[in-house]
């Protein structure tokens, strides 16, 4: 069964940037990859059964990945892309 899971994640991130001043440093860090991060937690917003009507709202956003995450037979997280290609990520055990 497919679900739509909404949550808010909180991370502490550290960026090392070169800038002319503090304001520019924050602007650069806002779009740059971080050098280090720590996951501080998450708040679960909603879990509902997948429907095309509900997901249409999110597909209108600036970025939406057209794939599905799942737990594989070994208990690891895997992904299926919209083209049907599967990718297993052996770093995350659930």
């Amino acid at each position: 069964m497919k679900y739509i899971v909404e949550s808010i994640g909180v991370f502490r991130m550290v960026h090392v940037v070169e800038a002319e001043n503090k304001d520019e440093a924050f602007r650069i860090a806002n779009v740059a990859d971080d050098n280090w991060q720590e996951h501080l937690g998450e708040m679960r917003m909603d879990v509902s059964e997948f429907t095309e009507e509900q997901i249409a709202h999110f597909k209108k956003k600036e970025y939406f990945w057209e794939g599905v995450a799942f737990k594989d037979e070994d208990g690891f997280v895997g992904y299926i892309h919209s083209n049907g290609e599967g990718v297993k990520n052996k770093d995350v055990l659930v």
Side-chain angles (χ1 to χ4, degrees), residues 34-77:
D34 54 59
N35 295 76
W36 175 85
Q37 66 176 249
E38 177 182 12
H39 184 245
L40 300 177
E42 70 180 17
M43 180 171 40
R44 295 177 185 181
M45 301 300 292
D46 188 37
V47 177
S48 56
E49 288 188 24
F50 177 93
T51 66
E52 287 297 335
E53 293 79 27
Q54 278 190 295
I55 205 66
H57 168 75
F58 297 104
K59 288 183 176 182
K60 294 177 186 174
K61 304 297 181 187
E62 184 177 329
Y63 174 80
F64 182 82
W65 176 64
E66 289 279 349
V68 176
F70 69 96
K71 182 172 78 170
D72 74 9
E73 63 278 356
D74 298 322
F76 291 91
V77 173

